[in-house]
Amino acid sequence: MYKGYVVDKALLDKDPHFKAGCILCHAGNDGELSKEKAHLRMLKKPSDNLRSCGVCHKKTAANYAKSLHYTTIGQRTGVMPRFSEAELKTFDEKVFEKSCRSCHASCGDCHVKGAPVGGISIGLVAKHKFVKKDEGKTCAFCHGGRVYPEYTGDYGGAPDVHYQKGMLCMDCHKKAEFHGDGTAYKSKNEVPQRPACKSCHPQGKEAKKETQVAHSLHDGKVSCYGCHSGSAYRNCNDCHGGHAAAGPGMILGRSPRDRKVLTTLRLIPTVRDTFAPAGIKMEHFDAVPNYWDTPAHNIKKRTERTRKCDVCHVDRKNFLTKETLIKNGAKANEELIFVPKAIAR
Amino acid sequence: MKNRRTFLLAFLAVWILALYGAAVFAATPNKCIQCHTNDALMKSLHKPPVLPKSEGEG
């Protein structure tokens, strides 16, 4: 990936970031030709320190310092109900900062260079051009294990209809959501700027009467994904315990965040001994399900569930059952099982 | 009169030094770009990283 280190000469005169020379951000020694001498005390990734960009982009950097992409605190928020107080302290000291937080994105990870994943990085995204966005080289890398290939269809299912229409990540996930508004949200569900289907697809404006009726009947009871997820998506199991397993599946059940709503669930890779190497047993493991509500990024207008009521109400296809629950999972998983009402004929 | 001459000479000296300094600064090449804008050179210098045994992410 040597191309990740090549800079476009044409940028040097045009881009104001280069006016003060490379050493303004990278330090090192720009008077030397020898690699070792030139790179002495060089900062490889100056954008990993928000203050580098904050010199000029003060407000953005200040907001971003509290945003979820930077703090990654959502990961901690999700797992911490499984811990006792003492275990949470150990988690913070031994696990979160050293492991989970390595996923945080710096300014450069979206605007200059691809973020390293598993030790691999594509390097500079566009020969050191400071891009506003390049989803295929940035979002796709960090979110390339699940969401992105589901969205593009590369995972093997049908591509999301929005992708087919030429939309990429930032067409729904706007700048304000990433940069943040200066509030340190604890979870993505708290972020007011996160996308919502109804922002573009308001209820009551559907072209067909039967669609309006179907939406009205299921409003507040079934999420958009519950009917419109087009195919199986990736479910991960035990990925952090050294026995990684992942496979396709569509799982319908009660949302762990709102048990009144049926939605698509995704198996998450926390198992009983995930944090055993750090001495954490997870005293409250059973209190939190192993499935989270997932906004499956494989939307289709027409699915087998929109075509035929029987798929859910008679066949109960893809619904979570006691038999399909993961082995040795949390007791809380059973609370997500939903049995749809049979249709009166 | 003498003071005015001294002042003018000092003023001129400062300006000449400033212009000279700017010229030197402008002429000093940024050697970073000599390597980093050279595709073939980067290819010859690059060593692929040794990947650690680690779990996947994402």
Side-chain angles (χ1 to χ4, degrees):
Chain A
M1 300 305 294
Y2 75 94
K3 283 191 183 285
Y5 296 96
V6 178
V7 176
D8 182 358
K9 210 168 185 176
L11 289 173
L12 301 173
D13 295 320
K14 288 189 283 190
D15 192 321
H17 291 97
F18 296 98
K19 286 233 181 318
C22 310
I23 58 171
L24 176 70
C25 296
H26 285 283
N29 189 342
D30 66 354
E32 292 285 347
L33 262 180
S34 140
K35 180 183 170 184
E36 290 70 30
K37 287 181 184 169
H39 289 185
L40 194 62
R41 284 183 290 276
M42 180 191 72
L43 291 171
K44 204 170 169 185
K45 299 174 191 174
S47 60
D48 282 359
N49 181 346
L50 291 186
R51 282 190 213 140
S52 304
C53 307
V55 169
C56 298
H57 303 278
K58 286 187 179 53
K59 188 166 180 199
T60 304
N63 282 348
Y64 188 64
K66 294 187 182 176
S67 78
L68 281 168
H69 260 84
Y70 188 72
T71 65
T72 70
I73 205 77
Q75 294 175 96
R76 182 182 184 271
T77 305
V79 78
M80 62 187 261
R82 299 188 195 271
F83 301 143
S84 65
E85 235 177 85
E87 286 180 330
L88 180 60
K89 195 163 173 275
T90 307
F91 175 78
D92 286 340
E93 285 166 12
K94 290 189 181 177
V95 182
F96 182 65
E97 284 298 328
K98 290 179 181 163
S99 180
C100 310
R101 260 215 98 217
S102 64
C103 267
H104 85 287
S106 68
C107 308
D109 287 328
C110 295
H111 294 296
V112 178
K113 57 172 175 74
V117 175
I120 300 172
S121 169
I122 60 165
L124 295 169
V125 160
K127 292 190 168 187
H128 219 310
K129 185 178 176 187
F130 288 81
V131 300
K132 284 192 175 168
K133 57 177 181 170
D134 194 332
E135 291 96 328
K137 290 180 184 172
T138 53
C139 314
F141 247 64
C142 290
H143 298 279
R146 292 184 290 196
V147 171
Y148 195 83
E150 287 165 7
Y151 187 65
T152 61
D154 285 337
Y155 185 52
D160 191 296
V161 65
H162 301 89
Y163 180 73
Q164 289 179 312
K165 297 284 183 192
M167 292 171 71
L168 286 178
C169 316
M170 293 211 60
D171 289 305
C172 292
H173 295 280
K174 303 293 186 187
K175 182 172 73 172
E177 184 186 349
F178 291 113
H179 286 170
D181 58 12
T183 305
Y185 297 108
K186 295 276 187 248
S187 150
K188 64 182 182 183
N189 301 292
E190 295 173 11
V191 175
Q193 301 92 353
R194 71 186 293 228
C197 307
K198 289 181 182 174
S199 301
C200 297
H201 303 283
Q203 198 171 328
K205 306 272 186 207
E206 300 88 325
K208 292 183 182 173
K209 188 71 183 168
E210 56 255 32
T211 311
Q212 289 182 22
V213 169
H215 284 164
S216 172
L217 281 171
H218 295 93
D219 186 29
K221 299 172 193 167
V222 184
S223 73
C224 305
Y225 310 99
C227 293
H228 291 285
S229 171
S231 57
Y233 42 83
R234 191 170 203 169
N235 291 274
C236 302
N237 192 12
D238 201 8
C239 286
H240 303 299
H243 310 104
M250 181 185 291
I251 307 168
L252 297 172
R254 294 181 190 278
S255 169
R257 294 180 225 272
D258 184 351
R259 303 294 166 96
K260 296 193 295 296
V261 176
L262 175 76
T263 191
T264 40
L265 300 175
R266 194 191 296 265
L267 188 59
I268 50 167
T270 305
V271 294
R272 288 189 188 273
D273 59 357
T274 293
F275 302 110
I280 298 172
K281 282 192 310 189
M282 286 191 273
E283 288 185 28
H284 309 302
F285 179 82
D286 286 299
V288 182
N290 295 111
Y291 303 85
W292 278 128
D293 49 313
T294 189
H297 281 57
N298 57 3
I299 299 297
K300 282 288 184 209
K301 186 175 179 180
R302 286 198 180 82
T303 67
E304 52 180 358
R305 295 180 305 293
T306 65
R307 286 194 188 94
K308 208 171 160 196
C309 308
D310 285 14
V311 172
C312 290
H313 289 278
V314 176
D315 304 332
R316 295 178 183 166
K317 194 172 174 188
N318 299 316
F319 278 76
L320 189 65
T321 63
K322 273 196 177 166
E323 291 74 31
T324 57
L325 286 173
I326 53 159
K327 300 285 176 283
N328 201 23
K331 291 192 174 65
N333 292 339
E334 292 185 27
E335 296 165 21
L336 305 183
I337 294 173
F338 180 88
V339 180
K341 279 188 213 168
I343 297 175
R345 296 254 183 237
Chain B
M1 189 71 180
K2 194 177 172 184
N3 282 345
R4 196 179 170 198
R5 194 170 69 170
T6 310
F7 173 77
L8 280 171
L9 278 171
F11 186 75
L12 207 59
V14 166
W15 266 105
I16 289 168
L17 280 168
L19 282 167
Y20 176 72
V24 166
F25 182 77
T28 303
N30 175 347
K31 293 205 167 79
C32 310
I33 61 174
Q34 284 186 37
C35 292
H36 282 277
T37 53
N38 186 326
D39 200 270
L41 183 61
M42 285 290 107
K43 189 174 183 179
S44 68
L45 289 174
H46 178 65
K47 284 180 194 129
V50 175
L51 298 179
K53 282 182 197 173
S54 68
E55 69 276 8
E57 296 172 31

